Amino acid sequence: GAGVSQSPSNKVTEKGKDVELRCDPISGHTALYWYRQSLGQGLEFLIYFQGNSAPDKSGLPSDRFSAERTGGSVSTLTIQRTQQEDSAVYLCASSQQGNYEQYFGPGTRLTVT
Amino acid sequence: AQSVAQPEDQVNVAEGNPLTVKCTYSVSGNPYLFWYVQYPNRGLQFLLKYITGDNLVKGSYGFEAEFNKSQTSFHLKKPSALVSDSALYFCAVRDRQAGTALIFGKGTTLSVSS
């Protein structure tokens, strides 16, 4: 079946602009995660959604970052007033409730100039 | 605090030789442990997991890992390396009591030469 998809695959933006990154999880997966992969920092957890519960936002690095998940499926990660240090690959993952493997999308490479 | 250490940035092995990629972890409770592989310009692919039970876990592509509670380690192994195994490998841990986000190591680049 279809895996996790993310769009766009690449995004170049100017410092100070807002960006939106999209994630389509695997159908039927109730849990959705966002991670950031940057050089020298490895993979960092950003935010986690599980069903209709309040999201775990403990990994968001600043209030410029936010995410929502509509209808328990598609999620959008928004970065406001982008900074150069936001340049990274943003990865989305989903998992079935009660299952432990997270399935990752191909990522969105964000470059802030 | 939870953490994962992959002490080697790079591991080099010759094709046909056994390989080991090391991982140690620190969690307050009992861990769930995972290995993922990332090929160039691709997302992470799940290899294997330890949840409970047998300490030796077998996964995809002939890989296996052994959970060692006393040494807090979860090293990835393969008896005979292939050139196609060359990739970036991540170990990850999740504390059973501390939520569901994975904490990843920094990654180890495996290079298998022919």
Side-chain angles (χ1 to χ4, degrees):
Chain A
V4 178
S5 62
Q6 293 185 245
S7 61
S9 55
N10 282 284
K11 176 72 175 179
V12 180
T13 190
E14 293 180 352
K15 178 182 174 181
K17 301 284 189 183
D18 298 351
V19 295
E20 288 188 350
L21 312 179
R22 176 187 169 105
C23 172
D24 280 275
I26 293 172
S27 177
H29 281 192
T30 58
L32 187 148
Y33 310 77
W34 284 97
Y35 294 87
R36 179 169 69 175
Q37 184 177 19
S38 50
L39 286 175
Q41 297 296 321
L43 278 152
E44 305 170 83
F45 163 73
L46 297 177
I47 189 169
Y48 158 63
F49 296 89
Q50 172 61 58
N52 295 321
S53 302
D56 175 359
K57 304 179 182 180
S58 60
L60 294 178
S62 77
D63 59 7
R64 296 186 295 104
F65 287 72
S66 63
E68 62 179 23
R69 189 178 185 191
T70 55
S73 180
V74 172
S75 177
T76 302
L77 177 69
T78 300
I79 308 173
Q80 296 178 311
R81 305 181 302 280
T82 52
Q83 303 295 313
Q84 287 188 330
E85 60 263 29
D86 298 335
S87 296
V89 176
Y90 289 81
L91 293 167
C92 176
S94 69
S95 69
Q96 293 179 341
Q97 187 173 17
N99 198 322
Y100 306 103
E101 297 98 290
Q102 296 179 18
Y103 294 87
F104 284 79
T108 293
R109 181 176 297 277
L110 175 66
T111 303
V112 182
T113 61
Chain B
Q2 305 173 69
S3 65
V4 177
Q6 293 181 242
E8 302 153 316
D9 290 336
Q10 178 141 355
V11 170
N12 299 310
V13 298
E15 188 173 32
N17 283 358
L19 69 87
T20 299
V21 183
K22 296 180 180 178
C23 172
T24 59
Y25 65 90
S26 175
V27 298
S28 56
N30 292 317
Y32 296 139
L33 294 156
F34 305 83
W35 276 100
Y36 285 83
V37 60
Q38 186 176 36
Y39 297 99
N41 301 313
R42 302 275 296 277
L44 274 72
Q45 295 180 33
F46 169 77
L47 273 180
L48 51 79
K49 67 183 178 188
Y50 170 80
I51 302 299
T52 188
D54 195 346
N55 290 343
L56 183 63
V57 177
K58 294 187 182 296
S60 306
Y61 311 121
F63 284 94
E64 59 188 30
E66 185 165 14
F67 170 59
N68 187 317
K69 187 173 183 178
S70 63
Q71 297 185 4
T72 62
S73 68
F74 190 56
H75 301 330
L76 181 70
K77 300 184 179 185
K78 187 173 182 180
S80 178
L82 299 172
V83 172
S84 58
D85 293 329
S86 299
L88 181 58
Y89 290 80
F90 289 96
C91 180
V93 67
R94 180 194 142 195
D95 189 317
R96 293 172 191 246
Q97 283 78 40
T100 65
L102 293 176
I103 306 300
F104 285 88
K106 296 289 188 186
T108 298
T109 298
L110 174 65
S111 178
V112 181
S113 57
S114 58

